Amino acid sequence: MTDAALPVPDARLRKALDECATIVGAANVVTSAERLADYADPFTPAPAAASFFASAAVLPDSVEQIREVLRVARAYRMPIWPVSTGRNFAYGGGAPRLSGSVVLDLKRMKRVLEVDETHAYALVEPGVTYFDLYAHLRERGAKLWIDPPAAGWGSVVGNTLERGFGYTPYGDHAAMQCGMEVVLANGDVVRTGMGGIEIGHTWQLFKPGFGPSYDAMFMQSNFGIVTKLGLWLMPQPSAYLLAHARFLREADLEAIVEILRPLKLDETIRNHAVIEGAVRHAAGLSSRSDWYDGQGPMPEAAIEAMIARLGIGRWNLHFGLYGEPELNDARYAIVSRAFSRVHGMSIEAKRYAGDEVPSGGEDRNLGGVPAMSAFRMLDWVGGSGAHVDFSPICPFTGRDAMRQYTMAKARMAEYGFDYYGGFTAGTRHLHHIVAAIFDRSRPGQVDAASDLLRVLMSDARAAGYGEYRAHLAYMDFAAAQYDFNEGALLRLSEQIKDALDPQGILAPGKSGIWPKAWRSARGYT
Ligand code: ADP
C-alpha cells in the first residue's frame, strides 16, 4: 500500500511508535511482519485486496500506559484498535476494520482482580481468558461456575463486549456483566454505575447506579477502552442434568420451537438450550468426507445415511437443568412429556454431581467447563478450514424459525454450502447461527462464502430480520440495515462518537460507526 492510502504516513507512524516504545517498552511494540501475522484475520472471507491489516501492535500493561498511548495517538492522529486477546475468530480475529490501524493488544493485563464468593462475582482485566478464570476459581476452591463460550481460549472481556453467549443459565454474557472501568479517547478514566463512588462496596452488585447507565454503550462500540469488567458467576449447583433429544424430520423444527418457548418463558429450562441441525451435530462426530465428497451441498440421501449411521436427529435439542436432583428430575419429566408430542422423538439424560466434569467438549461447556470444541467444526470440510457466520435474531416462534431455516438452507445450497447451523434459545428470541465453512486454500470457496454472506444478510433484511454481530467485512452493511428514520440509530452513534473522540482515534469503523475524520472510509468491503 502507498503512504497516501494509510491512515498515518509511514514516517509519522514510526515517530508515534517510537514514543509508544518509551511508554510500553520496545519489546511491546510489534512491527515485524512475522509477529503482525498474529493480528491478521485467520478466517478472512474478503478477497486479498480488501483484507484488513494492522500496521503495528502496542501492548500496554496498565491503565496509565493506555492513557499515555492515547495521548500519542491523539497527537499523531493514529487510529488504534483495542482488542483483549484478539481471538474474535469468524468476526475478524485481532484485525482492525480500518487497515493500517495500530492494534492495542491488552493481553498483558491479565489479573483476576477480585472474586467475591458471598455475592458470586468476579472483576477481571481484559487479558483474562475463560480458561484462566476457570483455573483461578478452581485453585482457590470457589464454588462458583463460569459460563464459557464455545472457544474457551477467548477473553472474558472481549466476548462480553461482543455480546457473546454460552450454555449455562448465565449464558447471556452481556446481561451477566455488572460494572466497568473505561478509558475514554481523551484519556479520562470512568467507572460505570456504582463504581462512580470512589471507595464503594456495590460496583459489581447493582448495575444501574444513579442517573444514566452506560455499560451497554461500550459493547460492540468504539466509545472507550474497557480496562476492568465485573461479571456475575453462577453458584455451583448441587447437581445438573444434560439432555439430548433427537427429532426425525426437518419439519419438526416448528414444533420444537413452539414447545420450547413456554418452557423457557416459565423458566422450566433456564439455560440457553440449543437446537442443532444434523450437519452441525455430525461435525462433532465425523468429517464430511465420511459421507460425501462430491461438489456442492450434501445431497439429501447422504444426509439421511449420515443421520442413520450416527444415530443422531435431523434436529438435536441440547439443554441442561441445574439445581437439586429432585428438582432436575421433576423438570426433566415435564420437558420430556412436552416434547413427546413430536412423533418419533427420543430423549436421554446424563446426570452429574455439581463438581463433576463431563467428558465431551460440548457437554463440558454446559457443565461450566471451558473447552475448544468449537474448532472441531473446521475439520468438517478438510483443507484449511475457516468459517464466517451469519447470525440473525429470530422471533421465538416455529414459523419464524422455519422461515429463516428454509431461506438460509436454499441460499447456501445455491452457493454450494451445506446448511450448518442451529438456534440458541434466549427467552423471547432465538440466536440463529449459521456458519459458512470454507477451505481458505481454495479461492473459489472464499469468494463464494463472501458472496453468500452478503446475500443471506440482504434476504434476512428483506424479511424484517437483523444480525446481532458481523464480521469486519460486513459491519457497514449490517449497520446500514438498521435503517429506521433514515438510519437515526447510526446517526446517534456517530454524534456520540464525534463528541467523545473528536480526533477519531478509537477503532474507526467498529460496528459501522465512523468518526468524522474517517467517514469517507465507510464502505461495503
Ligand atoms: P476474544 O479474544 O475474546 O474473542 P477480542 O479481544 O478479539 O475477543 O475482542 C473482540 C472485539 O471486542 C474486538 O475486536 C474489539 O472491537 C472489542 N474489544 C475487545 N476488548 C476490548 C476492550 N478492552 N475495550 C474496547 N473494546 C474491546
Side-chain angles (χ1 to χ4, degrees):
M1 255 202 174
T2 59
D3 252 12
L6 284 169
V8 189
D10 198 42
R12 262 173 84 76
L13 178 67
R14 252 182 277 156
K15 276 179 74 181
L17 293 174
D18 284 347
E19 288 192 32
C20 288
T22 64
I23 300 164
V24 300
N28 294 307
V29 175
V30 174
T31 50
S32 74
E34 193 191 340
R35 284 183 65 200
L36 280 178
D38 288 349
Y39 299 96
D41 173 15
F43 295 167
T44 190
S51 67
F52 307 94
F53 65 89
S55 57
V58 174
L59 290 81
D61 78 349
S62 68
V63 170
E64 237 358 89
Q65 289 189 358
I66 293 176
R67 298 183 66 206
E68 286 295 296
V69 171
L70 283 170
R71 186 182 48 72
V72 175
R74 287 194 304 275
Y76 288 87
R77 292 196 171 236
M78 173 179 83
I80 57 177
W81 179 266
V83 299
S84 287
T85 56
R87 288 171 176 156
N88 195 19
F89 284 23
Y91 295 102
R97 171 63 185 85
L98 179 68
S99 285
S101 299
V102 172
V103 172
L104 189 74
D105 182 349
L106 306 179
K107 69 167 164 251
R108 293 174 66 216
M109 297 172 66
K110 56 188 301 79
R111 286 175 301 166
V112 176
L113 296 165
E114 192 187 349
V115 172
D116 182 316
E117 295 183 45
T118 308
H119 294 104
Y121 72 77
L123 180 69
V124 298
E125 291 188 327
V128 175
T129 68
Y130 286 92
F131 282 125
D132 295 337
L133 183 57
Y134 177 78
H136 183 92
L137 292 171
R138 292 296 78 84
E139 267 161 35
R140 65 180 273 166
K143 294 210 176 314
L144 295 172
W145 275 24
I146 62 161
D147 181 275
W153 70 345
S155 124
V156 174
V157 172
N159 188 277
T160 306
L161 294 181
E162 282 291 289
R163 306 196 185 100
F165 50 87
Y167 306 87
T168 76
Y170 278 42
D172 182 344
H173 293 172
M176 293 302 162
Q177 173 274 331
C178 186
M180 285 178 186
E181 180 185 85
V182 188
V183 185
L184 303 179
N186 65 6
D188 209 3
V189 182
V190 183
R191 289 188 175 176
T192 62
M194 302 304 290
I197 292 179
E198 183 78 51
I199 307 175
H201 306 288
T202 49
W203 190 16
Q204 271 62 60
L205 308 185
F206 181 66
K207 222 191 277 205
F210 175 74
S213 183
Y214 292 109
D215 296 43
M217 195 174 118
F218 296 104
M219 294 180 178
Q220 286 191 7
S221 78
N222 47 11
F223 300 149
I225 300 170
V226 176
T227 46
K228 295 181 180 61
L229 180 135
L231 76 153
W232 293 332
L233 301 171
M234 184 167 93
Q236 178 182 298
S238 54
Y240 61 105
L241 177 159
L242 304 184
H244 176 193
R246 299 171 175 82
F247 300 86
L248 297 179
R249 292 161 313 196
E250 216 171 358
D252 288 342
L253 177 64
E254 185 151 356
I256 301 168
V257 172
E258 285 300 308
I259 294 169
L260 184 59
R261 185 184 56 250
L263 296 168
K264 282 288 301 176
L265 277 167
D266 73 5
E267 298 183 3
T268 304
I269 296 178
R270 290 185 304 132
N271 84 318
H272 276 183
V274 178
I275 307 165
E276 203 169 42
V279 168
R280 191 167 104 183
H281 192 65
L285 309 165
S286 61
S287 293
R288 188 178 199 265
S289 55
D290 296 339
W291 316 109
Y292 181 68
D293 54 13
Q295 294 287 316
M298 272 173 82
E300 279 304 306
I303 294 182
E304 289 296 343
M306 172 187 83
I307 288 172
R309 275 289 293 285
L310 293 175
I312 62 175
R314 170 61 82 151
W315 293 106
N316 300 272
L317 172 70
H318 306 274
F319 64 93
L321 300 167
Y322 304 79
E324 293 298 327
E326 300 93 310
L327 265 177
N328 294 344
D329 284 334
R331 290 196 154 105
Y332 183 62
I334 293 165
V335 176
S336 306
R337 195 164 60 232
F339 281 108
S340 66
R341 299 206 315 258
V342 185
H343 177 74
M345 77 78 101
S346 60
I347 187 165
E348 65 189 25
K350 292 183 210 155
R351 291 172 172 77
Y352 300 92
D355 58 0
E356 224 178 310
V357 175
S359 50
E362 282 183 11
D363 280 357
R364 279 177 176 246
N365 284 331
L366 282 143
V369 185
M372 290 299 287
S373 49
F375 278 67
R376 182 77 180 82
M377 70 193 283
L378 300 178
D379 299 334
W380 180 244
V381 292
S384 307
H387 68 110
V388 61
D389 292 0
F390 167 58
S391 35
I393 296 296
C394 182
F396 210 139
T397 70
R399 205 174 134 263
D400 284 289
M402 212 47 209
R403 187 170 177 217
Q404 286 201 2
Y405 165 65
T406 356
M407 277 167 43
K409 185 184 172 199
R411 277 294 189 206
M412 295 183 85
E414 196 182 313
Y415 285 77
F417 293 86
D418 306 320
Y419 171 82
Y420 185 106
F423 296 83
T424 302
T427 308
R428 291 172 175 80
H429 77 279
L430 302 162
H431 273 96
H432 185 194
I433 306 292
V434 183
I437 306 184
F438 56 96
D439 179 350
R440 270 168 296 175
S441 58
R442 294 167 62 186
Q445 280 201 9
V446 180
D447 289 346
S450 169
D451 293 346
L452 169 65
L453 251 284
R454 233 167 268 280
V455 173
L456 285 172
M457 287 171 72
S458 301
D459 286 350
R461 177 63 191 84
Y465 306 117
E467 286 212 281
Y468 96 101
R469 194 170 178 183
H471 184 278
L472 296 171
Y474 314 107
M475 279 178 181
D476 287 327
F477 196 46
Q481 296 192 330
Y482 287 75
D483 59 358
F484 169 75
N485 190 14
E486 293 171 31
L489 193 56
L490 190 56
R491 272 204 305 285
L492 169 65
S493 295
E494 293 193 338
Q495 242 178 312
I496 294 172
K497 180 66 183 163
D498 289 337
L500 290 179
D501 181 10
Q503 286 92 355
I505 52 164
L506 259 189
K510 172 74 184 174
S511 299
I513 304 166
W514 290 93
K516 205 177 253 160
W518 299 108
R519 227 156 263 165
S520 60
R522 194 192 316 272
Y524 300 111
T525 39

